[in-house]
Amino acid sequence: MSPFLSSISSPASSSRSDDFSRAAEINVYEENGSTYRSYVFTQTGTNTFYLRTTKTVDILVVANGGNGQSTAGGGGGEVVVKNDYRLSRGSYNFVIGERGETETENIPEADAGTRGKDVIIQTEGKNVLSDLTALGGGNGGQDGGSGGGGYADQGGSPGNLKPPGVSIAVNGVGFNGGSPTNTRGRCENAAGCGGGGAGGTGLTNIRNSQRLAVGGAGGPCITNTFRDGTARSYAGGGGGASNPCHNDSTNVGGAGGCGNLSGGQGGGAGTPNPYDSVDETGGGGGAQAQSSSGDGLGATGIVVIREVIG
């Protein structure tokens, strides 16, 4: 673990003109023989920073995770990591979506609301830094930074499977959601798959020893140390929900990616309400069991910029 030296809270309302003065958190730490100062942006809504001179920095951008939907877990947001990135003098802004907020501005109207909020960094002159854009994770069954999981339709005939969302990550990492298995019977068709994570594909629904369909786990996250020198988890997929037909305490939904450090757990008869993902990680939301209420919501994203100071 890297030595952590200091942390300063710097509210977004700060009026100082210093570089990165509006970051929510400023940390100083040592890693691999270098001393870093990191600027952490976690506030939902519009964030801004100003550079008085050109800087070479490391940047982490994580978009919002997707929401659980129709028993399928949400995908994790795209994770973009850039080392030795050159930022020119001037003002920059970007938006971090609220928990569960979906993208409506940057995709075709027909697809609006199918994934978590993107993070798009642009200059004061509205020039987009396209190589830093991170796409929100797909809602259950939808495409996104990582795709939402596929699911099996409880009300349909055996084999009525809904395909998973695929990863459409361009600048960073993301994986597809899990593909549903061809279980038999109306009840067993209710389980969903895990959403994809930044570290791997979501898992498929399975049948346990009681021959009940169980939701697939969310895809694994990845770790990154830019925030404070600690390896933190980002963009795990949400777990798929199990079927609701048997009130059995062992009948639970799939685990969230990274053991619920990022993606949310899926719901089931034993856990009827899914767990939400962890904010500031871009994790996907866990899905509800059919006939339960309330899908898990995708987590908020984060932007971290760090520079070497010693």
Side-chain angles (χ1 to χ4, degrees):
M1 180 175 177
S2 301
F4 181 78
L5 304 180
S6 67
S7 180
I8 302 171
S9 294
S10 180
S13 60
S14 170
S15 60
R16 290 178 295 157
S17 60
D18 300 338
D19 295 349
F20 304 115
S21 65
R22 296 188 178 186
E25 177 184 304
I26 300 173
N27 300 311
V28 177
Y29 60 92
E30 295 177 352
E31 183 179 291
N32 298 327
S34 297
T35 302
Y36 292 93
R37 181 182 291 119
S38 68
Y39 309 94
V40 183
F41 296 87
T42 57
Q43 307 97 327
T44 57
T46 300
N47 292 260
T48 63
F49 63 89
Y50 175 75
L51 297 185
R52 293 168 295 174
T53 60
T54 296
K55 288 180 177 288
T56 298
V57 296
D58 298 333
I59 302 179
L60 167 72
V61 184
V62 183
N64 275 39
N67 299 322
Q69 182 172 283
S70 300
T71 75
E78 182 177 5
V79 178
V80 178
V81 179
K82 300 291 185 182
N83 294 98
D84 299 324
Y85 190 91
R86 185 176 181 272
L87 284 174
S88 299
R89 177 182 182 274
S91 294
Y92 298 83
N93 66 82
F94 56 91
V95 173
I96 295 177
E98 300 279 353
R99 164 177 286 278
E101 184 176 350
T102 55
E103 185 58 63
T104 58
E105 298 179 5
N106 304 301
I107 54 179
E109 183 176 354
D111 296 323
T114 60
R115 69 175 188 245
K117 186 73 174 174
D118 300 343
V119 175
I120 298 174
I121 300 176
Q122 59 185 2
T123 68
E124 188 175 22
K126 305 299 183 183
N127 294 317
V128 173
L129 304 184
S130 57
D131 54 345
L132 294 180
T133 295
L135 304 180
N139 293 348
Q142 304 291 336
D143 301 342
S146 281
Y151 60 97
D153 187 358
Q154 178 190 11
S157 59
N160 189 12
L161 307 179
K162 308 298 182 182
V166 302
S167 171
I168 53 175
V170 176
N171 300 306
V173 291
F175 285 84
N176 297 342
S179 297
T181 58
N182 189 8
T183 56
R184 298 191 310 165
R186 180 184 179 91
C187 187
E188 282 121 346
N189 268 358
C193 302
T201 302
L203 299 187
T204 189
N205 53 343
I206 61 173
R207 299 181 74 179
N208 64 14
S209 58
Q210 288 79 38
R211 300 184 64 78
L212 303 177
V214 177
C221 62
I222 62 171
T223 58
N224 179 276
T225 63
F226 287 4
R227 182 167 184 167
D228 57 9
T230 301
R232 293 176 175 267
S233 300
Y234 296 102
S242 66
N243 75 76
C245 304
H246 301 280
N247 189 19
D248 182 338
S249 62
T250 66
N251 187 20
V252 298
C258 292
N260 301 330
L261 293 175
S262 181
Q265 180 174 333
T271 53
N273 295 316
Y275 297 98
D276 283 340
S277 50
V278 180
D279 276 341
E280 302 175 11
T281 72
Q288 67 169 335
Q290 292 197 19
S291 302
S292 300
S293 60
D295 284 307
L297 300 178
T300 60
I302 189 172
V303 174
V304 180
I305 302 172
R306 72 174 187 177
E307 61 178 336
V308 176
I309 60 171

